[in-house]
């Protein structure tokens, strides 16, 4: 099948199977273009709850499809590429969190959605990069264990004074690759252009830039800005959404290292196969799903 036929088949199968395609901002351009909804992890979680269709084809990484299943359990949720995971989510296990809680019963576990359902199930509340500061502020805890991203944990810590925040030692390998030197080099080349980065970057990186936010907050910043040029410090896929929404603006990637191999695994052919064969289905143990749902629901409240 050529590209045109493939797109036609995907759209035909979508109607035949009563399916919806959700995609993260980091997906490749043609996958974003075929999706019914493109967003950041918070927007995608909210959208998943509203889905009326029988089948959700989730173009992203495993934890995102898992969150959709937890939030809308009667739907069949499909992750087109089984191996599309998030290395940061694998940096914390439920067993480790249980051990930590036993030793520190007074603290509340706040877990970034980039985590497994089992880890969410051990948590008091979840958060995304778009709402982490608000979530920690609102739960009214004196002491928090922030899991698994140490960088997002530091970003939250710097904005909240009266909560003691312990940080798990996890990180996103993609954003961790960005160095202060990368920022200095690009600043020298384009001194008048604002640099926008994701809070998964190292603290020395987010201290040196003009704006720090989740993917949707970066998109919003660009939309509302009078500037015509921006330096983008998050996964390269976001540039597709930015260009589409702002055809009159120009985007420079902070460094070509900003590619998440897992987000790039899903091709149009995989979306087609996922719809046709309804593979790979996300299934969860009921008890884990229900406990993880409590932490996700608490975040959404
Ligand atoms: P957002 O919450 O901004 O969508 O980011 C998710 C992610 O995986 C960042 O690396
Ligand atoms: Fe995980 Fe980083 Fe990829 Fe996001 S960009 S999915 S945090 S590895």
């Amino acid at each position: 099948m050529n590209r045109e036929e493939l797109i036609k088949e995907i759209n035909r199968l979508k109607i035949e199977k009563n399916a919806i395609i959700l995609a993260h901002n980091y997906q490749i351009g043609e996958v974003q273009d075929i999706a019914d909804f493109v967003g950041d992890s918070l927007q995608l979680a909210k959208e998943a709850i509203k889905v009326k269709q029988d089948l959700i084809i989730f173009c992203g990484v495993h934890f995102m499809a898992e969150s959709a299943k937890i939030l809308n359990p009667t739907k069949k949720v499909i992750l087109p590429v089984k191996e599309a995971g998030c290395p940061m989510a694998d940096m914390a296990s439920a067993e480790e969190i249980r051990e930590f809680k036993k030793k520190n019963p007074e603290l509340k576990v706040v877990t970034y959605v980039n985590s497994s359902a089992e880890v969410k199930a051990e948590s008091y509340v979840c958060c995304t990069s778009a709402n982490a500061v608000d979530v920690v502020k609102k739960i009214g805890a004196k002491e928090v264990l922030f899991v698994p991203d140490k960088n997002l944990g530091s970003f939250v810590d710097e904005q909240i004074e009266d909560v003691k925040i312990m940080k798990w030692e996890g990180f996103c390998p993609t954003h961790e690759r960005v160095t202060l030197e990368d920022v200095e080099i690009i600043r020298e080349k384009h001194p008048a252009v604002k640099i926008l980065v994701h809070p998964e970057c190292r603290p020395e990186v987010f201290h040196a830039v003009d704006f720090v936010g989740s993917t949707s907050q970066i998109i919003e910043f660009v939309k509302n800005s009078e500037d015509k040029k921006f330096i983008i410090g998050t996964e390269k896929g976001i540039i597709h959404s930015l260009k589409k929404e702002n055809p009159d603006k120009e985007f420079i990637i902070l460094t070509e290292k900003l590619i998440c191999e897992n987000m790039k695994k899903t091709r149009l052919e995989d979306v087609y196969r996922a719809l046709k064969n309804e593979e790979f289905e996300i299934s969860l143990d009921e008890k884990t799903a229900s406990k993880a749902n409590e932490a996700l629901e608490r975040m959404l409240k």
Side-chain angles (χ1 to χ4, degrees):
M1 265 190 276
N2 62 32
R3 262 21 228 162
E4 217 175 291
E5 288 163 345
L6 198 56
I7 292 168
K8 228 167 122 186
E9 264 308 279
I10 290 174
N11 285 322
R12 187 189 64 76
L13 279 169
K14 222 170 64 176
I15 297 168
E16 184 188 301
K17 303 232 169 167
N18 192 25
I20 186 169
I21 303 176
L22 305 181
H24 189 267
N25 289 314
Y26 294 164
Q27 290 290 292
I28 60 168
E30 52 184 12
V31 168
Q32 290 192 32
D33 292 343
I34 198 95
D36 298 288
F37 182 86
V38 182
D40 74 355
S41 34
L42 180 60
Q43 293 170 323
L44 287 162
K46 286 182 175 165
E47 199 60 28
I49 300 177
K50 291 193 274 177
V51 169
K52 296 274 181 287
Q53 288 86 340
D54 302 314
L55 196 62
I56 301 176
I57 307 294
F58 205 112
C59 304
V61 291
H62 189 263
F63 77 82
M64 296 178 175
E66 216 175 46
S67 295
K69 180 71 186 172
I70 295 166
L71 290 164
N72 203 341
T74 62
K75 306 296 170 187
K76 190 168 184 181
V77 180
I78 306 290
L79 180 71
V81 178
K82 209 170 156 190
E83 298 75 26
C86 168
M88 171 156 66
D90 298 334
M91 292 179 191
S93 73
E95 186 56 38
E96 290 170 307
I97 307 293
R98 271 195 294 275
E99 278 302 304
F100 200 95
K101 284 200 299 189
K102 248 192 241 162
K103 288 185 196 142
N104 306 275
E106 67 293 345
L107 51 76
K108 280 191 170 146
V109 181
V110 177
T111 298
Y112 189 26
V113 286
N114 297 39
S115 53
S116 67
E118 289 76 15
V119 168
K120 288 185 179 78
E122 291 298 329
S123 311
Y124 175 71
V125 67
C126 287
C127 71
T128 72
S129 55
N131 64 18
V133 175
D134 282 348
V135 165
V136 175
K137 271 186 189 163
K138 281 182 187 156
I139 58 171
K142 291 250 174 307
E143 261 185 89
V144 155
L145 171 67
F146 194 90
V147 181
D149 187 5
K150 61 176 179 180
N151 294 335
L152 180 60
S154 298
F155 178 71
V156 174
D157 200 2
E158 287 177 17
Q159 298 185 59
I160 301 178
E161 272 177 9
D162 48 354
V163 185
K164 187 174 169 217
I165 301 180
M166 300 180 75
K167 289 144 223 135
W168 202 257
E169 271 301 310
F171 59 90
C172 160
T174 305
H175 289 86
E176 186 83 356
R177 277 181 218 136
V178 185
T179 62
L180 179 58
E181 203 191 345
D182 294 324
V183 176
E184 287 166 353
I185 292 170
I186 203 120
R187 189 69 98 189
E188 212 174 292
K189 264 199 206 160
H190 309 275
V193 183
K194 290 202 176 82
I195 307 180
L196 327 178
V197 307
H198 198 278
E200 283 175 13
C201 290
R202 300 158 183 259
E204 65 265 32
V205 167
F206 63 66
H207 289 156
V209 302
D210 304 286
F211 179 76
V212 189
S214 74
T215 55
S216 65
Q217 289 165 340
I218 290 176
I219 291 171
E220 200 55 24
F221 182 96
V222 167
K223 198 174 106 190
N224 297 328
S225 170
E226 303 271 290
D227 295 4
K228 291 285 174 220
K229 220 188 224 187
F230 303 86
I231 294 164
I232 303 298
T234 190
E235 214 280 340
K236 210 177 169 182
I238 197 178
I239 293 190
H240 183 78
S241 323
L242 287 167
K243 274 191 183 150
K244 221 166 142 179
E245 284 183 35
N246 309 275
D248 59 324
K249 296 183 180 174
E250 201 187 313
F251 305 98
I252 304 160
I253 192 79
L254 200 161
T255 154
E256 288 296 333
K257 293 179 281 189
L258 274 164
I259 292 178
C260 170
E261 296 77 6
N262 283 283
M263 281 287 184
K264 296 290 173 273
K265 282 183 178 155
T266 311
R267 330 289 310 178
L268 217 45
E269 289 78 359
D270 301 307
V271 180
Y272 166 70
R273 229 175 304 115
L275 269 164
K276 189 164 168 269
N277 305 332
E278 300 187 19
E279 278 179 344
F280 298 90
E281 186 179 358
I282 303 286
S283 62
L284 286 161
D285 158 74
E286 237 175 77
K287 204 169 144 207
T288 308
S290 141
K291 282 180 77 187
N293 190 42
E294 278 176 35
L296 279 168
E297 288 290 350
R298 193 167 278 127
M299 162 185 91
L300 293 170
K301 261 183 210 148

